[in-house]
Amino acid sequence: MRKTTPSQDFIRGIWKENPVLIQMLGLCPALAVTNTVKNALAMSAATFFVICCSSILISTCKRFIPNEVRISAYILVIATFVTLADMMLQAYAPVQHKELGAFIALIVVNCMILGRQEAFSAKNNVFRSLLDAIGTGIGFTIALVMMGGFREILGTGSFMEISLFGPSFEPWVIMVLPAGGFLTLGFILLFMGYIEQRKKTKLEEAEAVEASS
Amino acid sequence: MNDQTLFSIFFSAMVVNNFTLAMFLGLCPFMGVSARVETALRMGLANIFVLVLTSFAAWFLNTYVLESVPFLRIISFIIVVASLVQIVEMVVKKISPTLFRQLGIFLPLMTTNCAIFGLAIFQTNRGYGFLQGITFAVGAGLGLTLALVLMASIRESVEFSDVPGIAKGTGLVLIIAGTLSMAFMGFAGLL
């Protein structure tokens, strides 16, 4: 593995290796709960809490976890924090808890969290694991809020329940339905592919100009 | 206890609330092993098997163990799912080494497959009894298989067509999934 600086650990998860948009991990919550921005925020907050806490705990205890049972040990740690997050949401934000329902429990099986533990926390110290977890958590939040924003604005014509377009707006109901989740993420990916391709052609053109001169 | 009829549970889990296309559960294998119809079909069958076992185990835990400690639900379910997947892995390795190679990493990844864990959670939240749970599991498994096979057959045909460069890869798969999901919305009026 290439050596990275702490700041790189932090930045990497936010955009360049964004868990949802680039690595396609944790798609399940990203698609299921992003029909409104509020749900997306609640989901991101819970996931953020779980990934940070488990990163701290696992990078601290990595010396005591036998290699053969590490995956099960990680899953147990994550499950414990998910239970905590579930209880806290139930106590402090009962409306959101009801809206998200089973998807809070499903944070346990979010591949993104387990992936970060296995790929990073198991090999690095507490400080850098925490930075990595925060970066990944922010990246996840950005992706979720972006999708939630698109879907809520187009699907209901409002943002955070504030109406944007007035009564004459005809909502695109499809965007808040499950199909809209797939389509939104699909179009975001297509757009990113377009940018990537344009960058590549520009680079090639620049090289061609350099070669000819 | 929930008083839905078995048929409505079965049908709802299979097409109306299809796990993959309407509830976004089990998307990892949906994206990962849906390139070939045959692999997709086998993955679906392995999924049905694990789902039924999980449903039984979750029902057992709920009825006899977890009644007094509901807060341990998430932890105990994940342990059950993890051990079940391990067993299935051993069985598949013994019975069909070819399938074992084809499924590759996605077999152990079933542990973190939302569909299986989700089934246990949904079954508990809706208060299904034993028979209802099994019916729910079979319906959900068939629904997953249906979605996987549909997706795989579309992807096999798309492979030979000339798609624009930006659409190669996951973006296109997601758009196809969105279209399939719209098609499945048509079933919503049935129940």
Side-chain angles (χ1 to χ4, degrees), chain A residues 24 28 31-32 75-76 83 87 102-103 105-106 108-109 111 114 174 177-179 182-183 185-187 189-190 193-194 197, chain B residues 20-25 27-28 71 74-75 78-79 111-112 114 117-118 121 165-167 170 174 177-178 181-182 185:
Chain A
M24 313 304 291
C28 173
L31 292 167
I75 285 272
L76 273 187
T83 311
M87 286 168 162
F103 285 100
L106 282 172
V108 181
V109 281
C111 344
L114 188 68
I174 186 83
L177 292 172
F182 284 118
L183 291 180
L185 189 58
F187 282 123
L189 286 178
L190 288 191
Y194 169 69
Q197 206 185 32
Chain B
T20 312
L21 295 170
M23 282 151 94
F24 307 109
L25 300 171
L27 280 181
C28 292
F71 54 88
I74 296 177
I75 298 181
I78 195 78
I79 298 178
T111 314
T112 49
C114 339
F117 188 73
I121 294 285
I166 56 163
T170 333
L174 280 164
S181 172
M182 272 193 253
M185 273 163 51

Side-chain angles (χ1 to χ4, degrees), chain A residues 127-139:
Chain A
F127 174 64
R128 294 184 54 175
S129 305
L130 181 61
L131 275 183
D132 180 69
I134 294 176
T136 313
I138 293 177

